[in-house]
Amino acid sequence: MTEQHAERFTLLRPLLFTIVYEILGSATESDDVLQDSYLRWAEVDLATVRDTRSYLARLVTRQTLNALRASARRREDYVGPWLPEPLLLDDTDPSADVVLAESVSMAMLVLLETLTPDERAVFVLREVFGFGYDEIAAAVGKSVTTVHQVAHRSREHVQARRRRFQPVDAAETVQITERFRTASVTGDMAGLLSLLAPNVTWTADSGGKATAARSPVVGAQKVAGLLIDLFRTGGRTPGMRIQMVNCNNGPAMVAHLGDRAEGVLLIEIIDGKITNFYAVRNPDKLVAMTVRRQISR
């Protein structure tokens, strides 16, 4: 029985991790939830499980909601903007699955933060993973009628606030990112401004544990100046190196000092222009940057 438990859980782990991460916004906490969920799953009589996918999704959702509510106070007391924990993915992971790509994007995760825990869970389970209303009701402990209402409300909320999502051509992404990196490193203000949307926004998450802007910076001129100063300072730091990676199905730059990640800069590109920078400096949120994840739905 132990082998069967492990086999079923391992097979679905990428999907379960993705569910938990999209609700929690933290890869580290998602690992903890999955570990706790597995211990509970190991005690389940498999003869009573008719649909393993549905059962495990229900199990991890309940544990995730408990974790999310427990962390609510920590987020209220957080210093500066709170951003989801970056998710380091394999370069081959961004697939033709547009729904999955959008659902783990930093922009979407930031938007989901504006929902209540129940709204977030219902939206993720329904809109991303396509679970039935009865399955979701069992997962969140609500009636089917209530889940219908929550799903409608959360869907309208997200649709009213999200910008059009359109996957960027991989070659174009590489080109824009390289041009951005070159302009930033060389201090080419004109070159940098040509890549930024007029209302480009810089949001930094330090949790008060690293140097970073305590409020979002908006506007191409301001953000360009900030970037040039940042890269100039980083260039003077002995041993600092920049690595291009795939975070949350988008281009990102990781600043390493020795073996330690000092920060991650995620870049959002829409219509050939950079519209958002998400800079994560909180060291607690960089621990998981050593592990490349697999996501699935």
Side-chain angles (χ1 to χ4, degrees), residues 200-217:
V200 60
T201 302
W202 170 281
T203 306
D205 176 336
S206 69
K209 299 181 179 182
T211 303
R214 292 290 178 88
S215 58
V217 178

Side-chain angles (χ1 to χ4, degrees), residues 11-28:
L11 181 66
L12 291 169
R13 197 182 194 286
L15 176 141
L16 299 175
F17 174 83
T18 311
I19 291 174
V20 179
Y21 175 74
E22 291 190 11
I23 298 174
L24 269 183
S26 168
T28 307

Side-chain angles (χ1 to χ4, degrees), residues 123-174:
F123 180 86
V124 167
L125 291 174
R126 181 62 186 170
E127 300 300 318
V128 180
F129 297 95
F131 284 99
Y133 288 106
D134 56 336
E135 296 173 295
I136 299 172
V140 300
K142 305 287 183 182
S143 70
V144 173
T145 300
T146 299
V147 168
H148 270 282
Q149 295 169 346
V150 173
H152 178 73
R153 185 168 63 246
S154 60
R155 188 184 309 115
E156 284 196 331
H157 179 93
V158 171
Q159 289 177 347
R161 289 163 178 78
R162 72 175 170 187
R163 287 192 263 182
R164 177 177 56 82
F165 180 86
Q166 184 175 358
V168 180
D169 177 78
E172 182 184 15
T173 298
V174 171

